[in-house]
Amino acid sequence: MANNITPTQETKPVAAPWSWQKKLGFRIIFIFFLAMSIPSTASWYNNVFTLNWLRPHYRDLYDIARFQPSYVRWFTGGPNYGDVDGAPLPQEKNNDDNATSRDKRGERHHRYDRDTVNSKSNSTAIAPTIKSNDNNNVSMPPKRNFFADYADWGVALIFGIVGGLIWTLIDRKSKSYNLLYYWIRVVVRYRAGIGIIGFGFTKLFPTQMPYPSLGLLNSNFGDFTAQKIYWMSVGVVPWYQVFGGVVEIVAGTLLFFRNTTTYGAILLAGALFDITLVNYAYDGGVHVYAFYFVLLSLFLIADDVPALYNLIIREKYTTHYRVYPDFTKPGLKYPRIVLKALTFIIFFGILTYTEVINFKYDPYKQPSTAGVKKLRGNYHVTDFKINGQELPYNPNDSVRWQEATFENWTTLTFRVNKPVVIDPSNGGGSPMHDIQRTFEITGVAGGERAYHYYADTVDKVLYLQDKNAVALLGNRRGGRGGANRRENQNQRPGNWISAEAWKHIGDESKMIDPAAWSARRDREFAQKQRGQKRNRMVLKYDTTDGSRVILSGINEHRDSIYVVLDRYDRKYVLPKSILSAGKY
Amino acid sequence: MLTIMTQTINNNTQQEWSPKQKAGFRFLFLFFILQALPLSVDLFRFLFGPNWLSYGYIFNLTRLAPKFIPGADSFINWIIVLVLALIGSFVWAGSRYKEQDYDKLYYWLRTVVRYRLAIGIIGYGFLKFFPLQAPFPSISNLNTAYGDFNDWKIFSLSLGIVPGYEAFLGGVEILVGLLLLFRKTATFGALLILVFTGNVFISNLAYEGGEYVYSFYLISFATLVFWFDAHRVFNLISLDRPTQPNAYQPIFVGTQQTLRIGLKAVVIFFFVFLYGFKTYSGYHHDPYQFPKTAGLKHAAGIYNVSEFRINNKVLPYSATDPVRWRDVVFEKWATLSIRSNRPVLIDSANYEQISQKDEDRNYELVGSAGRHYYSYKVDTISQTLLLTNKNPHYRNEHFSLNYIRPDSTTIILNGLDQNRDSIYVVLNKIDKKYPINLGRRKVLKL
């Protein structure tokens, strides 16, 4: 099947001058894709320059790979909506003024988190509009225009057009831009490749979609938001997530080499187009970022489309000349080797290592601190007394706990037949504090509550806080927005737990395997935790081997409760995978 | 015997077939032609079964593949075909048919394969385009604990809540099928199938679905269709070399041309227009996953069991009682399900089958525990429900209960249960809202 035949058609010489339309079009596209492919937020650069390469965390590198064009805020000063794993919702915009003012008060904010999902983490972010006739009190953000999500791209396009026109006026001499075309393709290839590999590794070591907690497994299918259902549907099959990661990493790697770029771009365009539609269908929040990759891939494929069409569909003899810079020149040869090697070392060496550590010891979407060893599993609530009064089991009672669960980590979940404001976010980002890792409670209705606990194992006391940060925002008594928050600025989170108890509890930042300690973790723990209004309980626990646990103390409404829990072995039909994240 | 005239551009560009290539081709030719034929033990059952030309009938036609061992699809059937093809290729090699125009044979092989592939993928495409394959979860499904489903059911339910996305997937499959019906666009269609159905295959393995053999079957066909142009694409894209296009052009003259167009038209009419129309009306009148018979009027919903008496003894609410019912769901159709602590042996069918009879329509309970499902017949005169357990493990459970409806949200049932204990149950409808229906912003209609 040889192809060394003399061509029967005339071949076009490559260095032919371009028409003025082609030159103008190219200038616009060049600037547009440049604007789309380079980081434009201060936080990105801050992350890169403050990164401690000797004590890295996967999120440091992930945040290098993960950025989007963000130009609207240059003009409006608003937050970056760059939707992520768990995008902040549109209301964030209203609250961000408060966030800035907090900055001015001298409290350090996670500057490098501002543009990622953590803008939620230390602010009582969402002021939901409660649907008055909805029993579940689900918070509903206002509807946004479909195109509004792509505003940043629009600005980049404007840059392209304006810049292209200026360039046209300045540059009278250039006849063609074949080399510049090569270079912009390199920029886009590496942007897309690095970006998708950043995502790919969180799937390859499956942490992006966590296997559902016991609390989630016990909730009805109909009690989840669509977004939650999608996330869990991948979380239950870790090997499929691994496969997804492999596809993404392979696609990204193919983009790093000229000869395989088209295959990588086709794979990437197909996979990410599907993900874009999934995000629209389930309202997953990452549709803009997913479509970003589709756009970049289509740009890369475009170069080959005319040739493929000519060859396969028109069945004509086809030549496809490409222009490359001369890489034998030392001025290009060595930088190229160095940069390529650096890319591989960072993203296949360091990132891989940090991702493995993350998976083994600190999966970023679930709490990483091991719970009290004896308190594990599903429990029936055998007895329940409130203020001395015994309440019999009744699934309709709005006070009595129906069932309770101690997870492998520091969370107690229980179900009460009382509506709760649902946190509709995706519980993403990568907060270091267990209490902010909200995946196990976001998007869940059905009266489920999840409380983070600090365990004083000496005095046998649990200090519990509601992980649902929006639970109290629905209260009329709690007030709305700003007034509420300012009131709590003065509430130091630490003073409901005595210093003595803290000594018994220990330092949370050190409660995970030392291999997972990092500069990022230390930084976040060093920051003062803002006083956040949360439901709290202080409960003494009493047990021998954990099969019967007696909790007694003060609940979130300042009532005294006495709860007897009996563990039972709940058999699930859903299989558990051998791929299990975290060390508990 | 049809003789097709062929024309090649530049005779000296035609590839020479080496003896090894010819031998390999003979085997592949026989293998794929055999695979494309409906040599199935199910053939006669489907061909002469009831419901001529219902969409279920047409779907089952598209699904036929060589199956010598009855039951679920299995790769053992592939091995049998492989062996037959091997034997056949040796026979062929020894016969006088050894010297043929292999380009012509390749053309015909590819044509048969791409038509079979197109028909197969369109079969599934319409079941998704009109979201039948994964329907919106039933009320019972919504009121079952997440951990009480197996992986495949979770997958299906998770797709069922986004009919728009499901329709998009179906649309892709239909489009790809159409691309395969035309020689020049077939390569592109095959490439899309490799990516799309490749994902279906891996999903089936991951979620323990029953379609991994068939999806691999489709992938094997797509690989053959794509292979034809693969070296050309590689040459052009990766090696950056000038590339010769395909040089083999079949030419049809006269009656051959009419026959060809006629056959193509029949295929498109039958598998696209007729089948499409049938699935469209099926979606509106008779979604195959759920029973047809209407249930008790205006009873659909979930009910709290506020009172439960067994043999005249009142059982209070309990999380642990092995007998007391916890809640009851009445579906829009004639099924009711009871959540209790009574264990459930699950029915774990995980392959696609379209059944006409209500009692065979088990989708609502397949792969799920936590609830017992009963189909019921209503006798409005004597006000009784005659219940039958739908789960094949409990097929012998029949019992009948009297019903009283004092108001629109209360149902009182009494009678003898499956163990011949007398029960008296008061059901109160719960006005339940489901967050699935509440999005975060405007829903995109696809």
Side-chain angles (χ1 to χ4, degrees), chain A residues 281-303:
Chain A
Y282 291 92
D283 201 10
V286 206
H287 49 283
V288 177
Y289 192 51
F291 197 62
Y292 173 68
F293 286 98
V294 177
L295 183 73
L296 297 181
S297 311
L298 290 177
F299 172 65
L300 293 173
I301 295 172
D303 193 44

Side-chain angles (χ1 to χ4, degrees), chain B residues 281-303:
Chain B
S281 58
Y283 175 63
H284 288 282
H285 303 300
D286 184 24
Y288 71 92
Q289 299 281 33
F290 293 129
K292 274 195 292 274
T293 319
L296 198 60
K297 267 204 169 41
H298 304 303
I302 176 162
Y303 292 77

Side-chain angles (χ1 to χ4, degrees), chain B residues 181-235:
Chain B
L181 293 176
F182 300 92
R183 183 172 65 90
K184 291 188 185 176
T185 52
T187 299
F188 184 52
L191 178 65
L192 286 176
I193 289 202
L194 287 175
V195 178
F196 185 94
T197 312
N199 184 43
V200 170
F201 172 68
I202 301 284
S203 299
N204 266 276
L205 291 178
Y207 289 93
E208 294 178 89
E211 302 281 321
Y212 59 92
V213 177
Y214 187 66
S215 49
F216 197 71
Y217 171 83
L218 296 176
I219 292 171
S220 69
F221 278 22
T223 309
L224 181 83
V225 174
F226 182 75
W227 190 253
F228 180 73
D229 279 321
H231 62 283
R232 278 184 266 277
V233 170
F234 181 74
N235 205 51

Side-chain angles (χ1 to χ4, degrees), chain B residues 226-370:
Chain B
F226 182 75
W227 190 253
F228 180 73
D229 279 321
H231 62 283
R232 278 184 266 277
V233 170
F234 181 74
N235 205 51
L236 184 71
I237 302 292
S238 292
L239 301 180
D240 270 346
R241 292 214 283 249
T243 310
Q244 279 290 344
N246 162 48
Y248 181 86
Q249 306 272 356
I251 292 201
F252 300 88
V253 191
T255 38
Q256 297 162 355
Q257 178 71 323
T258 342
L259 223 79
R260 171 179 163 265
I261 295 186
L263 276 170
K264 199 165 196 151
V266 165
V267 167
I268 293 179
F269 169 74
F270 193 74
F271 290 103
V272 179
F273 289 105
L274 181 66
Y275 180 58
F277 171 71
K278 292 268 173 172
T279 40
Y280 169 77
S281 58
Y283 175 63
H284 288 282
H285 303 300
D286 184 24
Y288 71 92
Q289 299 281 33
F290 293 129
K292 274 195 292 274
T293 319
L296 198 60
K297 267 204 169 41
H298 304 303
I302 176 162
Y303 292 77
N304 174 46
V305 179
S306 51
E307 191 181 327
F308 186 90
R309 284 189 226 154
I310 182 160
N311 294 328
N312 284 321
K313 180 171 115 171
V314 174
L315 292 182
Y317 288 121
S318 165
T320 49
D321 190 299
V323 169
R324 194 196 198 275
W325 297 0
R326 299 176 71 170
D327 63 55
V328 175
V329 166
F330 275 85
E331 302 285 356
K332 287 197 280 270
W333 51 85
T335 297
L336 67 84
S337 71
I338 302 171
R339 169 149 45 189
S340 70
N341 287 322
R342 186 176 153 216
V344 179
L345 274 168
I346 67 172
D347 172 10
S348 49
N350 56 6
Y351 46 87
E352 221 42 71
Q353 55 179 11
I354 299 184
S355 320
Q356 292 298 330
K357 290 193 265 184
D358 275 6
E359 65 218 39
D360 295 328
R361 294 185 172 186
N362 268 359
Y363 178 81
E364 52 187 334
L365 55 101
V366 152
S368 43

